[in-house]
């Protein structure tokens, strides 16, 4: 499973990278705004900074919702760096754009996916990644993890190469469940990745080892 970090915060991206387990980054307009990054030139410059830290796929989202402008924005993003993946919404015009990008070797991430049917359309259009949102489905009393499993099964049935990128992953159990059902990628906050480190028996065991060592080496 690949680990992506879902943020535009350079410090958090660097920290995840320095752990040696980071495979990529996903961003969106909300995450950019959270970091106070506004304006076309500032956003594009920020993407370049992210690409300088991480040698992996970086999802950069278009703002347009019509075909022509999705293409225009997506091509501009793809020109920034070879690792840029154009993030496109799951709408009719987005699916058409994904096909256009796929035919030209531009990587895409189809976002805001909430059904297996949407994921099937994205795969048929040639999306590199599809992003089903686990947590947002859980928020409305729908089983987000069941959707991940369903998409993995459908893709396996027909040999689609589109990677299942589980998004809106909010805690360690989400991440582990995604791994169990076969998601190719999980994107999450840094806190979820570092949460994998934690167990009280690890902490108490290390404390005892260090205490015993100190007693014997006074």
């Amino acid at each position: 499973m690949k680990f992506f970090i879902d943020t535009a915060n350079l410090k958090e991206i660097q920290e995840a990278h320095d752990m040696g387990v980071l495979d990529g980054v996903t961003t969106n307009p909300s995450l950019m705004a959270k970091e106070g990054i506004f304006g076309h030139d500032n956003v594009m410059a920020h993407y370049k900074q992210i690409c300088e830290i991480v040698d992996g796929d970086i999802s950069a989202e278009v703002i347009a919702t019509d075909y022509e402008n999705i293409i225009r924005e997506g091509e501009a993003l793809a020109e920034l760096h070879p690792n840029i993946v154009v993030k496109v919404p799951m709408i009719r015009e987005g699916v058409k754009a994904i096909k256009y990008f796929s035919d030209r070797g531009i990587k895409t991430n189809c976002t805001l996916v909430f059904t297996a049917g949407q994921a099937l359309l994205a795969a048929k259009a040639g999306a590199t990644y599809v992003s089903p949102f686990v947590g947002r489905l859980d928020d409305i009393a729908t089983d987000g993890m069941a959707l991940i499993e369903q998409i993995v099964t459908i893709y396996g049935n027909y040999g689609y190469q589109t990677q299942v990128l589980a998004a809106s992953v909010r805690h360690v159990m989400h991440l582990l469940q995604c791994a169990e059902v076969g998601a190719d990628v999980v994107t999450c906050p840094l806190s979820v990745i570092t949460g994998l480190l934690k167990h009280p028996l690890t902490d108490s065991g290390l404390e005892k080892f260090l205490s015993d060592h100190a007693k014997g080496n006074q």
Side-chain angles (χ1 to χ4, degrees):
M1 171 184 269
K2 296 177 185 177
F3 283 9
F4 286 8
I5 187 171
D6 192 35
T7 186
N9 184 288
L10 296 179
K11 183 178 179 181
E12 291 182 354
I13 292 170
Q14 187 68 60
E15 184 177 344
H17 174 266
D18 290 347
M19 284 182 67
V21 299
L22 188 64
D23 299 294
V25 176
T26 56
T27 63
N28 60 46
S30 297
L31 292 172
M32 285 288 185
K34 183 179 178 181
E35 299 304 318
I37 303 159
F38 299 99
H40 176 269
D41 291 346
N42 290 332
V43 169
M44 300 295 262
H46 198 76
Y47 283 135
K48 288 182 179 179
Q49 286 182 282
I50 294 173
C51 291
E52 289 172 2
I53 298 172
V54 181
D55 184 18
D57 284 347
I58 313 298
S59 285
E61 189 163 345
V62 300
I63 305 299
T65 56
D66 64 286
Y67 177 76
E68 288 77 12
N69 282 310
I70 292 174
I71 298 303
R72 179 182 57 80
E73 289 183 24
E75 289 181 332
L77 287 168
E79 288 176 1
L80 286 175
H81 194 279
N83 290 351
I84 289 289
V85 177
V86 180
K87 200 172 182 184
V88 180
M90 168 39 73
I91 56 177
R92 183 189 297 266
E93 300 296 278
V95 172
K96 289 169 58 180
I98 287 169
K99 175 61 175 173
Y100 173 93
F101 291 134
S102 175
D103 287 346
R104 288 156 180 79
I106 296 174
K107 294 178 287 187
T108 55
N109 177 357
C110 185
T111 190
L112 293 172
V113 168
F114 293 97
T115 71
Q118 290 176 329
L120 186 56
L121 283 174
K124 287 191 67 67
T128 312
Y129 299 98
V130 63
S131 290
F133 280 47
V134 176
R136 294 196 194 184
L137 283 171
D138 288 355
D139 288 344
I140 60 168
T142 302
D143 190 347
M145 206 55 60
L147 175 62
I148 301 294
E149 188 170 12
Q150 187 180 20
I151 296 170
V152 168
T153 298
I154 291 171
Y155 284 6
N157 285 346
Y158 299 102
Y160 288 117
Q161 297 303 303
T162 300
Q163 297 181 56
V164 180
L165 192 164
S168 191
V169 168
R170 298 183 177 161
H171 47 70
V172 168
M173 285 307 300
H174 268 165
L175 188 153
L176 294 177
Q177 289 167 345
C178 285
E180 287 178 340
V181 301
D184 300 289
V185 189
V186 64
T187 188
C188 57
L190 177 62
S191 60
V192 175
I193 296 174
T194 57
L196 294 170
L197 295 165
K198 300 175 183 178
H199 195 283
L201 292 180
T202 301
D203 297 338
S204 62
L206 180 59
E207 183 179 355
K208 178 168 173 46
F209 292 158
L210 294 176
S211 175
D212 289 345
H213 173 77
K215 290 175 183 177
N217 291 274
Q218 290 179 345

mmCIF file with all atom_site columns, all heavy atoms in Angstrom, residues 94 124 189:
data_model
loop_
_atom_site.group_PDB
_atom_site.id
_atom_site.type_symbol
_atom_site.label_atom_id
_atom_site.label_alt_id
_atom_site.label_comp_id
_atom_site.label_asym_id
_atom_site.label_entity_id
_atom_site.label_seq_id
_atom_site.pdbx_PDB_ins_code
_atom_site.Cartn_x
_atom_site.Cartn_y
_atom_site.Cartn_z
_atom_site.occupancy
_atom_site.B_iso_or_equiv
_atom_site.pdbx_formal_charge
_atom_site.auth_seq_id
_atom_site.auth_comp_id
_atom_site.auth_asym_id
_atom_site.auth_atom_id
_atom_site.pdbx_PDB_model_num
ATOM 1  N N  . GLY A 1 94  ? -15.830 16.141 -16.276 1.00 0.00 ? 94  GLY A N  1
ATOM 2  C CA . GLY A 1 94  ? -14.595 15.615 -15.710 1.00 0.00 ? 94  GLY A CA 1
ATOM 3  C C  . GLY A 1 94  ? -14.207 14.278 -16.314 1.00 0.00 ? 94  GLY A C  1
ATOM 4  O O  . GLY A 1 94  ? -13.035 14.029 -16.611 1.00 0.00 ? 94  GLY A O  1
ATOM 5  N N  . LYS A 1 124 ? -12.963 3.351  -16.763 1.00 0.00 ? 124 LYS A N  1
ATOM 6  C CA . LYS A 1 124 ? -13.158 3.202  -18.206 1.00 0.00 ? 124 LYS A CA 1
ATOM 7  C C  . LYS A 1 124 ? -12.609 4.391  -18.973 1.00 0.00 ? 124 LYS A C  1
ATOM 8  O O  . LYS A 1 124 ? -12.156 4.250  -20.110 1.00 0.00 ? 124 LYS A O  1
ATOM 9  C CB . LYS A 1 124 ? -14.641 3.004  -18.524 1.00 0.00 ? 124 LYS A CB 1
ATOM 10 C CG . LYS A 1 124 ? -15.159 1.627  -18.144 1.00 0.00 ? 124 LYS A CG 1
ATOM 11 C CD . LYS A 1 124 ? -16.544 1.357  -18.703 1.00 0.00 ? 124 LYS A CD 1
ATOM 12 C CE . LYS A 1 124 ? -16.552 1.268  -20.214 1.00 0.00 ? 124 LYS A CE 1
ATOM 13 N NZ . LYS A 1 124 ? -15.823 0.095  -20.731 1.00 0.00 ? 124 LYS A NZ 1
ATOM 14 N N  . PRO A 1 189 ? -4.233  12.549 6.910   1.00 0.00 ? 189 PRO A N  1
ATOM 15 C CA . PRO A 1 189 ? -3.407  13.519 7.624   1.00 0.00 ? 189 PRO A CA 1
ATOM 16 C C  . PRO A 1 189 ? -2.162  12.853 8.211   1.00 0.00 ? 189 PRO A C  1
ATOM 17 O O  . PRO A 1 189 ? -2.123  11.637 8.417   1.00 0.00 ? 189 PRO A O  1
ATOM 18 C CB . PRO A 1 189 ? -4.339  14.021 8.739   1.00 0.00 ? 189 PRO A CB 1
ATOM 19 C CG . PRO A 1 189 ? -5.715  13.657 8.311   1.00 0.00 ? 189 PRO A CG 1
ATOM 20 C CD . PRO A 1 189 ? -5.574  12.414 7.499   1.00 0.00 ? 189 PRO A CD 1
#
